[in-house]
């Protein structure tokens, strides 16, 4: 299958480039800046991302441009544009002020294939501290703004630096992948489809077909154990594996004691119609014991990840020829857990929390998908809508929605509050007839167990915990905005939680977006 390679130089928006390319029904891989797959004939184009570094920084990421420049079409974005200029004899200089925010292309070559379909004075989004003050010989400026002379440039069809007749290079100092570049999707379509020649073959149907084929080839007759959580990721993963290897898949659903209220029984029932071989394991005693007194969020995640593997290994001994542990890891999990800059946002239980001595090999068939793509794959396989539409739920469960240490009583309090909240979302119908739950990407309650607030119930003074409600809208979990829930809904839910849940006397609503906040509190 054709693919676009996106070389990641550490930009926060690299994954958005990938999302935009995927929306063009074109497969892409995001790889570290120095890991270009030399010799891969399926690569039809390369995109260089932005970076937190300046090209002049000693620690700036360096790529070998000769591996792909001139061989396939290349598009450099922000740092990528500066790096191409810098490495080919152009000039990149630091500016006194950071160029950040909206700008308009005042002059640009409307005949250039990169700008096909653009409107005059098209709005773009700038975000850089350095600027290109001279482009290399053989390159030509094709766009500028009021403040940026070389907002875009290209190599043309004949280039003494790259060699006559070679694939051209484009470079833009703005970010076409972000929402505020109004015709950014058009620019990427021009590059990916018209310039690189994508046949736009990537789709949920093609993903299912190729992934099932790859799983059969990779796994053969090996036995596979899959950790089910009840969420859409692990459910889609299980269905894919079931299509590929059938009876050789054994699913294990571990109750670590920090699931939502009655979640264990509800999930087991939900899988009855999928034809999966599911084993339920109550390991809550072990998890509570190992988490006793632990307050650091990273430690919680790592302990839960470790315990998951220990439980799986124990079950694997009962299946003597089990060789693989399958997980529903998706791309945003990996982005947040693994960074080429060395900065971890948070460890996910199925990424950063896995110990090195795990006895099973990992199988992660969804690791390149974003959440909305996972759902599209689920619909393609005719999975029950009740599983596909479920909100994401963290692997560590309520452990990362309880600030401070974990106890059974705190979990009970949060389960009751969370159940009232989620059931309320499911039962509230908006003016347009849509269920409020379906308008929200993810929702859950958070127990601020390290905080107590004064309240009054009847004639008595109370000194109990606050609960924070969180609801966000998103498409891929990489960015998220707080959901503007109706006031009457929030009032009803708040009143019900305070009246019915012992240990809570205050309810707050979280109105922070991602970034700068994460969706989960820990």
């Amino acid at each position: 299958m054709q693919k676009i390679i996106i070389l990641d130089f550490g930009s926060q928006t690299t994954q958005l480039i990938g999302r935009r390319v995927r929306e063009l029904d074109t497969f892409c891989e995001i790889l570290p800046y120095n890991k270009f797959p030399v010799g891969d004939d399926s690569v039809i184009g390369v995109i260089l991302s932005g970076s937190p570094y300046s090209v002049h920084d000693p620690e700036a990421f360096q790529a070998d441009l000769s591996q792909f420049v001139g061989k396939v079409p290349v598009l450099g974005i922000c740092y990528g544009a500066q790096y191409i200029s810098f490495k080919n004899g152009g000039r990149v200089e630091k500016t006194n002020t950071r160029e950040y925010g909206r700008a308009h292309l005042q002059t640009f070559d409307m005949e250039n294939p990169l700008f096909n379909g653009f409107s005059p004075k098209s709005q773009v989004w700038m975000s850089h501290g350095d600027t290109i003050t001279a482009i290399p010989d053989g390159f030509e400026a094709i766009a500028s703004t009021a403040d940026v002379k070389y907002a875009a440039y290209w190599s043309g069809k004949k280039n003494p630096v790259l060699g006559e007749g070679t694939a051209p290079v484009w470079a833009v100092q703005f970010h076409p992948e972000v929402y505020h570049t109004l015709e950014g999707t058009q620019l990427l379509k021009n590059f990916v489809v018209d310039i690189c020649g994508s046949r736009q073959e990537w789709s949920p149907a093609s993903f299912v077909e190729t992934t099932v084929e790859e799983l059969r080839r990779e796994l053969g007759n090996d036995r596979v154990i899959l950790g089910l959580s009840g969420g859409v990721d692990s459910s889609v993963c299980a269905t894919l594996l079931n299509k590929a290897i059938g009876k050789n898949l054994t699913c294990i659903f571990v109750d670590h004691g920090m699931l939502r209220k009655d979640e264990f029984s509800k999930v087991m029932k939900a899988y009855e119609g999928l034809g999966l071989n599911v084993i339920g394991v109550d390991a809550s005693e072990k998890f509570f014991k190992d988490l006793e007194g632990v307050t650091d969020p990273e430690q919680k995640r790592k302990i839960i990840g470790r315990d998951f593997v220990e439980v799986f290994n124990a079950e694997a001994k009962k299946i003597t020829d089990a060789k693989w542990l399958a997980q529903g890891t998706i791309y945003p999990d990996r982005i947040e857990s693994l960074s080429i800059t060395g900065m971890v946002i948070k460890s996910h239980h199925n990424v950063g929390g896995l110990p090195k001595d795990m006895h099973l090999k990992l199988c992660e068939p969804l690791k390149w998908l974003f959440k909305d793509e996972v759902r599209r794959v689920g619909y393609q396989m005719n999975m029950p809508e009740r599983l596909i539409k479920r909100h994401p739920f963290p692997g560590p469960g309520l452990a990362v929605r309880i600030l401070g240490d974990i106890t059974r009583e705190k979990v009970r309090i949060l389960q009751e509050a969370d159940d009232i909240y989620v059931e309320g979302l499911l039962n509230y119908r908006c003016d347009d007839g849509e269920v409020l739950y379906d308008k929200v990407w993810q929702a859950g309650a958070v127990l601020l167990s390290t905080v107590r607030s004064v309240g009054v119930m009847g004639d008595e003074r109370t000194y109990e915990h606050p609960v924070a409600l969180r609801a966000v809208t998103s498409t891929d979990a990489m960015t998220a905005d707080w959901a503007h829930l109706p006031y009457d809904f929030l009032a009803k839910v708040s009143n019900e939680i305070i009246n019915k849940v012992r240990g809570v006397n205050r309810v707050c609503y979280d109105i922070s977006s991602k970034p700068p906040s994460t969706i989960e509190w820990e």
Side-chain angles (χ1 to χ4, degrees):
M1 181 182 294
Q2 295 176 317
K3 72 176 72 166
I4 296 290
I5 294 297
I6 301 169
L7 293 182
D8 182 15
F9 287 84
S11 171
Q12 291 182 344
T13 60
T14 300
Q15 65 275 7
L16 291 181
I17 304 173
R19 287 286 296 112
R20 301 294 176 256
V21 173
R22 296 279 186 88
E23 287 168 0
L24 297 169
D25 298 323
T26 303
F27 183 69
C28 66
E29 288 187 23
I30 299 177
L31 300 175
Y33 61 95
N34 57 353
K35 299 295 183 183
F36 180 77
V38 177
D40 187 343
D41 294 334
S42 66
V43 178
I44 60 172
V46 177
I47 299 176
L48 309 185
S49 81
S51 175
Y53 294 117
S54 161
V55 294
H56 300 290
D57 291 342
E59 65 271 31
F61 297 133
Q62 304 284 324
D64 183 357
L65 298 179
S66 66
Q67 294 178 332
F68 49 85
V69 167
K71 300 174 183 177
V72 293
V74 174
L75 173 63
I77 295 175
C78 196
Y79 176 91
Q82 295 170 3
Y83 187 75
I84 291 170
S85 177
F86 180 70
K87 297 299 286 187
N88 285 286
R91 189 164 63 247
V92 178
E93 298 182 26
K94 292 186 178 295
T95 58
N96 294 327
T97 59
R98 181 177 172 84
E99 294 167 332
Y100 181 85
R102 293 176 179 84
H104 293 87
L105 299 181
Q106 293 192 339
T107 59
F108 63 96
D109 181 2
M110 296 185 71
E111 300 299 319
N112 192 282
L114 192 67
F115 294 126
N116 183 42
F118 263 50
S119 306
K121 296 186 177 180
S122 184
Q123 178 180 295
V124 297
W125 187 264
M126 295 287 186
S127 179
H128 56 92
D130 293 355
T131 193
I132 299 169
T133 55
I135 56 177
D137 292 340
F139 288 78
E140 177 185 348
I142 54 175
S144 63
T145 69
D147 299 314
V148 180
K149 181 179 180 180
Y150 299 109
Y153 65 93
W154 79 315
S155 66
K157 296 179 180 179
K158 296 182 179 180
N159 189 302
V161 176
L162 304 178
E164 185 174 337
T166 56
V169 174
W170 282 264
V172 296
Q173 283 210 80
F174 54 88
H175 287 268
E177 72 274 19
V178 302
Y179 172 78
H180 293 99
T181 295
L182 299 185
E183 293 174 303
T185 299
Q186 180 66 40
L187 185 149
L188 290 172
K189 178 180 181 296
N190 292 339
F191 179 74
V192 171
V193 179
D194 299 336
I195 293 170
C196 295
S198 168
R199 294 189 293 266
Q200 297 183 282
E201 300 170 313
W202 195 92
S203 66
S206 67
F207 175 82
V208 171
E209 180 181 350
T210 57
T211 301
V212 168
E213 181 181 329
E214 289 170 1
L215 288 170
R216 286 172 178 161
R217 184 169 59 250
E218 181 180 22
L219 303 175
N221 292 318
D222 290 350
R223 289 271 186 174
V224 179
I225 295 175
L226 169 67
L228 282 176
S229 68
V232 61
D233 301 337
S234 64
S235 300
V236 170
C237 184
T239 305
L240 270 173
L241 283 162
N242 194 42
K243 288 175 69 71
I245 61 174
K247 59 182 175 52
N248 282 345
L249 172 67
T250 300
C251 300
I252 300 173
F253 180 34
V254 175
D255 182 3
H256 51 34
M258 287 152 284
L259 301 172
R260 282 177 157 148
K261 184 179 179 181
D262 301 326
E263 185 85 346
F264 188 72
S265 58
K266 288 178 181 178
V267 169
M268 291 296 287
K269 185 176 181 180
Y271 286 126
E272 287 179 0
L274 287 178
L276 300 174
N277 175 28
V278 184
I279 299 171
V281 181
D282 182 358
S284 57
E285 195 65 38
K286 172 181 177 58
F287 283 88
F288 275 109
K289 181 181 178 181
D290 291 349
L291 286 168
E292 187 174 351
V294 177
T295 60
D296 180 75
E298 277 295 291
Q299 280 300 106
K300 289 181 187 178
R301 288 177 176 274
K302 290 182 183 296
I303 289 169
I304 291 171
R306 181 199 67 201
D307 284 3
F308 260 114
V309 173
E310 290 179 3
V311 171
F312 282 130
N313 279 341
E315 290 298 322
K317 291 177 182 177
K318 303 173 186 177
I319 307 171
T320 56
D321 56 348
K323 295 182 179 179
W324 298 84
L325 171 66
Q327 295 183 149
T329 310
I330 64 173
Y331 190 60
D333 297 338
R334 300 167 66 229
I335 286 290
E336 290 187 334
S337 296
L338 304 171
S339 169
I340 65 170
T341 62
M343 193 167 61
V344 175
I345 298 172
K346 61 184 179 183
S347 294
H348 287 261
H349 79 287
N350 55 352
V351 180
L354 294 177
K356 295 179 180 179
D357 61 350
M358 188 180 65
H359 299 300
L360 302 174
K361 293 183 287 185
L362 276 178
C363 174
E364 298 173 311
L366 307 180
K367 64 183 179 180
W368 288 107
L369 297 189
F370 292 89
K371 179 73 74 174
D372 59 319
E373 293 176 316
V374 174
R375 288 198 170 102
R376 289 171 61 198
V377 168
Y379 280 117
Q380 178 66 35
M381 296 189 295
N382 298 314
M383 291 177 61
E385 192 170 56
R386 67 181 182 274
L387 285 177
I388 298 173
K389 279 193 169 184
R390 291 193 67 185
H391 288 177
F393 187 67
L398 301 181
V400 292
R401 292 181 179 175
I402 296 174
L403 274 60
D405 65 326
I406 308 298
T407 67
R408 288 188 180 272
E409 175 61 11
K410 291 178 181 179
V411 171
R412 179 202 66 78
I413 292 172
L414 186 53
Q415 283 178 332
E416 295 294 334
D418 181 81
D419 187 62
I420 291 171
Y421 181 35
V422 174
E423 286 299 312
L425 289 166
L426 288 166
N427 294 324
Y428 187 96
R429 196 166 289 278
C430 303
D431 292 339
D432 61 3
E434 189 174 357
V435 174
L436 186 56
Y437 182 90
D438 294 337
K439 288 180 175 287
V440 174
W441 168 267
Q442 185 172 345
V446 179
L447 180 64
L448 282 62
S449 68
T450 57
V451 177
R452 287 182 182 271
S453 67
V454 174
V456 177
M457 290 187 178
D459 293 327
E460 295 184 4
R461 174 186 183 272
T462 62
Y463 192 52
E464 296 178 330
H465 300 298
V467 160
L469 304 181
R470 179 76 157 140
V472 298
T473 57
S474 182
T475 57
D476 52 30
M478 297 311 307
T479 60
D481 196 10
W482 61 278
H484 294 229
L485 301 182
Y487 288 162
D488 62 327
F489 168 79
L490 289 172
K492 183 177 183 298
V493 167
S494 172
N495 188 60
E496 191 172 351
I497 289 173
I498 292 172
N499 286 340
K500 293 184 177 180
V501 182
R502 190 179 70 254
V504 175
N505 67 353
R506 190 179 299 272
V507 174
C508 309
Y509 187 55
D510 183 348
I511 60 169
S512 37
S513 299
K514 174 187 179 182
S517 302
T518 53
I519 294 176
E520 300 296 341
W521 277 46
E522 291 194 341

